[in-house]
Amino acid sequence: MPQLIRRFRASRPGDPSHVPRIAGSGATHALAWTLGIAVPVVFVGVFFAWPVASIVGRGLFPEGAFDLAGVLEVLGRPRTQRIIGFTIGMAALATLITLVLGMPVAAALSRLRFRGRTVLRAVVLVPFVLPTVVVGIAFRALLRETPLDGTFVAILMALVFFNIAVVARTVGASWESLDPRQEEAARVLGAGPVRVFATITLRRLGPSIAAAASVVFLFCSTAFGTVLVLGGARYATIETEIWLLTTQFLDLRAASVLSIAQLVVIVALLVVTGRIRAKATPEKRSFAPRPPRRHDLPLIAVAVAVGALLVVPLVALVERSLRTRDGYGFGNYLALASTGDRHALAVTAWQALGNSLGFAAAATGVAMLVGLTAAVLLSRTPRSPGARRALDALDGVLMLPLGVSAVTVGFGFLITLNTPPLDLRTSPILVPIAQALVAVPLVVRTLLPVLRSVGSRMRDAAATLGAPPWRVLLTIDLGMSARAALAATGLAFTVALGEFGATTFLSRPDAATLPVIIYRLMGLPGGDNAGMAVAASVVLAAVTVAVVALVERTRVNQVGAF
Amino acid sequence: MQRSTLLAALAASTLLLAGCATPADDGVTLVLVTHDSFALSDGTLEEFTEQTGVRVDVQPGGDAGELVNKLVLTADSPLGDVVFGIDNTFASRAASNGVLEPYVSGDLTDAEAPFLLPEASGGEYLTPIDTGDVCVNVDHRWFAEAGIPEPQTLDDLIDPRYEGLLVVEAANSSSPGLAFLLGTIAAYGDGWYDYWSALIDNDVKVAASWSDAYYVDFSGPSSEGDRPLVVSYASSPPVEVPAGSTGVLLDTCFRQVEYAGVIAGTEHPAEARQLVDFLFSTTVQNDIPENMYVFPVNAQATLPDGWAEYAQIAENPYTIDPAEIDANRERWIQEWAAIVQP
């Protein structure tokens, strides 16, 4: 560690070979770097790497020795190979479709000012927070009469539905900071829109597209409920298989082999996208959206069409929430003040919403602290190759929680966080921590392209002019990325609000979150429980839209303040 | 100044963490680890505290399988003192992995003897608490309107007359789905492969979860679908509205029994045994049906209104020895998947 810090110091932006040494003592820098590195490393180390390594270790080292024969036996099973292949293929295809459909939305939302933009912005994000159990059932209710029910296509549709938001948000944030004059110049010089897009825009957006693609891929490859419900339990992925092996068969060896497969997939993915992500071009500021022109019409049309596709299942949900035993009405919503039919719940849906908001706020705080620290660190390009490699590794490690099974992490918690002062197995504090684990990579992916684009020259200039490092950090890095930081905050809050997998593993009935009680209500027969579950989902979606709208509003004020 | 505030905040949060980890007062608090469906009315567990001075902290831990596996994995630092929700399909795994203290409530009588487990499958570790049958549920109105007699038995379900009418849950992702599979294995022995092939030929629909099968595919009054036969619980009809609109095919039932036991390594074995006794007492037993949609095992318990009329209990449900289930579960599920999900 000390060696690492020294390398960072020698290679910080104000490198002595270019800039005279300025304010701030060496000790303070070392401390700042140590803290900066410690925050994300300790967080991911304690709450992710250690638990996962322990549970995987139990599977691979059953008697304390590495069980090579066992591992090879699991890998040799045709079922294992088929599942790994299917998972990668499914996730890749879903990612591709999500990108193709999400890019026009990102473009329209970030570059154009048109009526309904705010609505579209919110609509895109709604699916992201809806519980899989409810969306799965809404989708199936729509597809039940069609030949698509229980097919691979139905799974793909739902995966795309859930993940459009990631592309729209991540790519959109970086699109906003692209100087449109380059494209305009090319247009003036006679290049067609397709050529301009392919040769200029796409190239400049490369890093954020790669970032979005890797996040979507990881979400898709670890989808659980979506694959089961829409595929009629006919398709097995690495994630569903780990669940089956761990919770039903207690076959830790096979589960560990599949967890390793997940890790290999993530690392391969990061290596592939890392090359693209590294090629960030310096950009300087955010550009306000402009009114649409005639040639934007196809773009708007596609964006609105995608928005409409997202809306169909949502409308079906709202319709279902208003349907009661005595015809249409607000009965299901009124029931949210109760604990459900025949004591279905320990708390009312409104209390659960309160719990959700509290946990999500705490998770967002943690995710922003860890994610922002990590993003600032990762945006630096140290001169020393060793330090660069260390940063790349940290970048990868932060992405791991997105691609590793919630079951693996949850069972890992059980066997590691079991001795004071870290006896947290039964503590509600694990809920926001688990939510933050999933949110941190999104925060980093949203902030990093923007922070990288700030460019070291501006930091160097500020430092040369005598600004102390904290001031450089505050005014240059954070100042320039304020918009992206707000977008990241909204995204983190949204993820935390909708998180189900880890939350259900950790939450307690008296502090249940809204997605957890929705799941419980969907699991009980008769009466109004199902209607109440759908109404609660609509409330969850509405709260998300409200939160996002609030963040957007703050954004506007923020721009005025600069 | 600022630094001291920060330190104070750190100290406070450390205390908070410590506070979460250990009970604050000197009275005993038992941790009751349960499956996710555990629920009792407000005040029921508080009665235990009034009687004994011992408080109960409920900690849900997944479905029955997940619960047992968690206990096995945390054997060296137990998750709690008492476990409730281990069912007859996972009982033998819990018993053979040494995660339970030998104890069965002394309040059991001969009337509850049928619910006791065999010696080798956890009989000396687990006290039966509730029971529920997984059976095919039928939408009476659908059959009345269609003018077809309702099916009665598992054999009827492969009759071409009932083609395309049944929805079941997948045995590899749903516990009622697994229970139904076990029922067919109990009924047909090795002939269950052929039975399932026949079910497939008769256009059975396989859904991933109970919610999915019941709310999307089933045609009952609170459901959206068009299939009048669904694998569900014997306790589902009493909570349907109007009550009596659905029913149970009593010859298709597989019996599930849920048990409680004292977790090995508890620091409060005496209190833990008291809690197991309390779960078997009529205070809890009378409260079980309306909260967990299953039947109490205690012969002294009284059923709530409507249950006596609409909730039926199979006289001869299918059962399999828990040890046999545990030994074959993985193979059966994989063979089932090969037939149903090729």
Side-chain angles (χ1 to χ4, degrees):
Chain A
M1 190 60 108
Q3 202 184 357
L4 194 70
I5 295 159
R6 233 173 295 129
R7 279 179 179 168
F8 274 120
R9 273 183 50 206
S11 55
R12 29 176 283 279
D15 194 291
S17 58
H18 297 279
V19 184
R21 205 115 179 82
I22 28 88
S25 70
T28 323
H29 289 168
L31 187 68
W33 274 107
T34 314
L35 268 177
I37 296 166
V39 168
V41 166
V42 168
F43 179 74
V44 175
V46 171
F47 295 111
F48 178 78
W50 179 39
V52 170
S54 304
I55 192 82
V56 169
R58 273 223 199 173
L60 299 184
F61 299 83
E63 313 290 330
F66 182 60
D67 180 14
L68 181 64
V71 170
L72 291 177
E73 188 273 320
V74 175
L75 278 176
R77 294 179 197 167
R79 183 175 169 86
T80 309
Q81 294 165 3
R82 198 173 64 234
I83 284 174
I84 293 175
F86 176 78
T87 307
I88 294 172
M90 177 197 76
L93 200 54
T95 306
L96 190 69
I97 302 171
T98 310
L99 277 181
V100 169
L101 294 180
M103 289 288 288
V105 180
L109 288 182
S110 56
R111 295 315 282 274
L112 303 178
R113 197 168 59 230
F114 58 94
R115 247 162 143 46
R117 176 168 173 261
T118 329
V119 177
L120 185 59
R121 227 188 166 101
V123 163
V124 165
L125 205 51
V126 169
F128 202 61
V129 287
L130 286 177
T132 330
V133 56
V134 171
V135 172
I137 280 175
F139 259 81
R140 280 218 52 223
L142 288 173
L143 296 177
R144 198 171 47 81
E145 307 283 340
T146 73
L148 292 178
D149 191 19
T151 63
F152 180 57
V153 177
I155 299 178
L156 284 182
M157 285 170 70
L159 289 177
V160 171
F161 175 81
F162 278 118
N163 287 299
I164 288 265
V166 178
V167 176
R169 290 266 142 180
T170 316
V171 179
S174 133
W175 214 321
E176 267 176 29
S177 67
L178 285 192
D179 185 344
R181 281 173 298 187
Q182 265 193 41
E183 276 93 341
E184 279 157 15
R187 290 294 302 253
V188 170
L189 293 172
V194 176
R195 175 131 185 247
V196 170
F197 179 75
T199 56
I200 302 182
T201 318
L202 209 54
R203 194 177 48 78
R204 293 164 87 201
L205 288 176
S208 65
I209 294 176
S214 44
V215 170
V216 172
F217 183 91
L218 293 180
F219 270 132
C220 292
S221 66
T222 54
F224 179 77
T226 315
V227 173
L228 283 179
V229 171
L230 289 159
R234 231 187 324 277
Y235 301 90
T237 64
I238 299 180
E239 186 80 9
T240 64
E241 193 72 359
I242 288 177
W243 174 83
L244 186 67
L245 291 166
T246 309
T247 70
Q248 306 299 309
F249 298 163
L250 197 59
D251 183 352
L252 288 189
R253 188 186 64 182
S256 296
V257 170
L258 287 177
S259 294
I260 297 284
Q262 281 187 323
L263 290 167
V264 170
V265 168
I266 306 169
V267 171
L269 177 77
L270 293 180
V271 168
V272 171
T273 56
R275 289 170 184 279
I276 314 171
R277 278 190 280 127
K279 286 190 296 185
T281 39
E283 297 292 344
K284 289 176 191 65
R285 53 198 162 108
S286 299
F287 295 88
R290 58 174 172 76
R293 296 169 201 155
R294 183 178 296 271
H295 69 81
D296 293 322
L297 276 178
L299 176 69
I300 297 179
V302 175
V304 171
V306 173
L309 282 179
L310 296 184
V311 162
V312 171
L314 299 181
V315 170
L317 270 186
V318 173
E319 189 269 340
R320 175 68 189 85
S321 74
L322 292 170
R323 194 156 13 107
T324 68
R325 238 180 291 147
D326 327 306
Y328 286 103
F330 291 96
N332 292 326
Y333 289 91
L334 295 176
L336 296 180
S338 74
T339 50
D341 221 24
R342 294 159 198 260
H343 327 289
L345 310 168
V347 294
T348 70
W350 297 122
Q351 287 169 316
L353 176 62
N355 295 337
S356 276
L357 292 173
F359 282 134
T364 308
V366 175
M368 286 308 289
L369 174 70
V370 175
L372 198 59
T373 315
V376 168
L377 272 181
L378 295 174
S379 68
R380 303 297 196 260
T381 25
R383 300 275 144 83
S384 124
R388 262 204 305 276
R389 271 197 295 277
L391 276 190
D392 280 347
L394 177 63
D395 190 9
V397 167
L398 286 171
M399 290 288 279
L400 295 183
L402 280 190
V404 169
S405 163
V407 172
T408 308
V409 180
F411 273 79
F413 278 173
L414 281 183
I415 63 165
T416 48
L417 304 178
N418 59 1
T419 37
L422 279 174
D423 188 2
L424 302 178
R425 293 181 301 184
T426 58
S427 162
I429 211 167
L430 273 187
V431 173
I433 286 174
Q435 293 174 341
L437 270 179
V438 185
V440 164
L442 298 178
V443 170
V444 173
R445 289 279 85 88
T446 309
L447 289 177
L448 195 51
V450 181
L451 278 174
R452 278 202 173 128
S453 73
V454 168
S456 59
R457 265 184 302 174
M458 197 178 285
R459 282 187 215 111
D460 291 352
T464 316
L465 293 172
W470 62 265
R471 184 110 195 250
V472 175
L473 186 73
L474 214 63
T475 50
I476 309 286
D477 288 300
L478 301 186
M480 297 298 284
S481 62
R483 284 168 166 232
L486 273 165
T489 308
L491 201 55
F493 193 81
T494 318
V495 170
L497 210 53
E499 210 287 330
F500 174 72
T503 309
T504 184
F505 204 89
L506 303 164
S507 86
R508 307 156 54 95
D510 51 354
T513 65
L514 204 50
V516 169
I517 67 152
I518 289 169
Y519 185 78
R520 171 146 176 86
L521 286 169
M522 272 330 277
L524 298 172
D528 300 317
N529 287 330
M532 191 178 157
V534 182
S537 310
V538 174
V539 168
L540 184 63
V543 169
T544 311
V545 173
V547 169
V548 174
L550 206 68
V551 171
E552 305 281 317
R553 190 168 287 273
T554 326
R555 249 160 104 93
V556 175
N557 294 341
Q558 199 82 25
V559 173
F562 275 98
Chain B
M1 181 63 198
Q2 268 182 349
R3 191 162 295 176
S4 66
T5 322
L6 184 72
L7 279 177
L10 270 176
S13 55
T14 315
L15 281 176
L16 205 68
L17 278 177
C20 290
T22 49
D25 54 288
D26 23 317
V28 173
T29 298
L30 292 175
V31 175
L32 173 61
V33 187
T34 69
H35 59 41
D36 286 340
S37 309
F38 178 81
L40 289 174
S41 301
D42 281 345
T44 303
L45 284 174
E46 283 73 7
E47 272 190 48
F48 179 69
T49 310
E50 276 168 33
Q51 288 170 17
T52 61
V54 176
R55 290 192 298 159
V56 182
D57 182 14
V58 176
Q59 193 70 48
D63 64 14
E66 197 173 328
L67 190 61
V68 171
N69 291 355
K70 282 181 180 176
L71 292 180
V72 172
L73 285 174
T74 57
D76 49 357
S77 68
L79 279 178
D81 307 286
V82 173
V83 58
F84 162 74
I86 297 178
D87 68 5
N88 47 325
T89 73
F90 283 99
S92 135
R93 182 180 298 171
S96 61
N97 277 283
V99 298
L100 299 170
E101 297 270 342
Y103 179 70
V104 175
S105 174
D107 301 336
L108 291 170
T109 65
D110 286 347
E112 290 88 24
F115 298 109
L116 279 176
L117 291 161
E119 270 302 290
S121 303
E124 67 272 42
Y125 298 100
L126 290 163
T127 302
I129 302 297
D130 68 61
T131 177
D133 292 341
V134 170
C135 317
V136 174
N137 280 25
V138 56
D139 176 6
H140 290 317
R141 195 199 48 203
W142 192 95
F143 282 97
E145 281 174 11
I148 311 173
E150 292 177 2
Q152 308 274 320
T153 62
L154 289 176
D155 271 340
D156 290 345
L157 299 176
I158 53 173
D159 185 333
R161 181 206 295 223
Y162 301 111
E163 184 178 351
L165 300 187
L166 173 67
V167 55
V168 304
E169 296 85 4
N172 53 6
S173 63
S174 154
S175 47
L178 176 60
F180 182 68
L181 169 63
L182 294 175
T184 61
I185 292 171
Y188 297 101
D190 283 344
W192 71 268
Y193 307 95
D194 298 332
Y195 179 76
W196 275 88
S197 302
L199 271 183
I200 303 288
D201 291 342
N202 218 20
D203 190 26
V204 65
K205 178 144 199 158
V206 181
S209 68
W210 178 88
S211 334
D212 210 14
Y214 200 84
Y215 284 125
V216 180
D217 296 299
F218 184 45
S219 65
S222 62
S223 311
E224 320 244 315
D226 52 10
R227 287 179 181 244
L229 298 168
V230 62
V231 170
S232 185
Y233 299 91
S235 59
S236 308
V239 295
E240 271 298 351
V241 183
S245 52
T246 64
V248 164
L249 306 187
L250 287 172
D251 293 334
T252 62
C253 299
F254 180 79
R255 175 140 301 169
Q256 284 185 322
V257 183
E258 292 182 328
Y259 298 85
V262 176
I263 298 175
T266 171
E267 285 169 18
H268 311 289
E271 291 86 352
R273 290 170 180 195
Q274 280 180 302
L275 181 55
V276 171
D277 291 350
F278 180 72
L279 291 173
F280 180 73
S281 73
T282 48
T283 311
V284 171
Q285 295 280 308
N286 290 342
D287 201 33
I288 280 178
E290 290 283 85
N291 286 290
M292 291 193 265
Y293 302 83
V294 283
F295 293 88
V297 293
N298 190 324
Q300 304 301 316
T302 45
L303 285 175
D305 294 342
W307 278 64
E309 192 178 350
Y310 298 112
Q312 296 163 289
I313 304 179
E315 278 177 26
N316 294 303
Y318 294 113
T319 55
I320 300 180
D321 184 326
E324 196 188 341
I325 297 176
D326 202 44
N328 293 294
R329 181 193 337 263
E330 197 165 343
R331 180 171 66 84
W332 283 337
I333 288 179
Q334 278 161 0
E335 287 170 350
W336 174 87
I339 300 171
V340 177
Q341 308 166 332

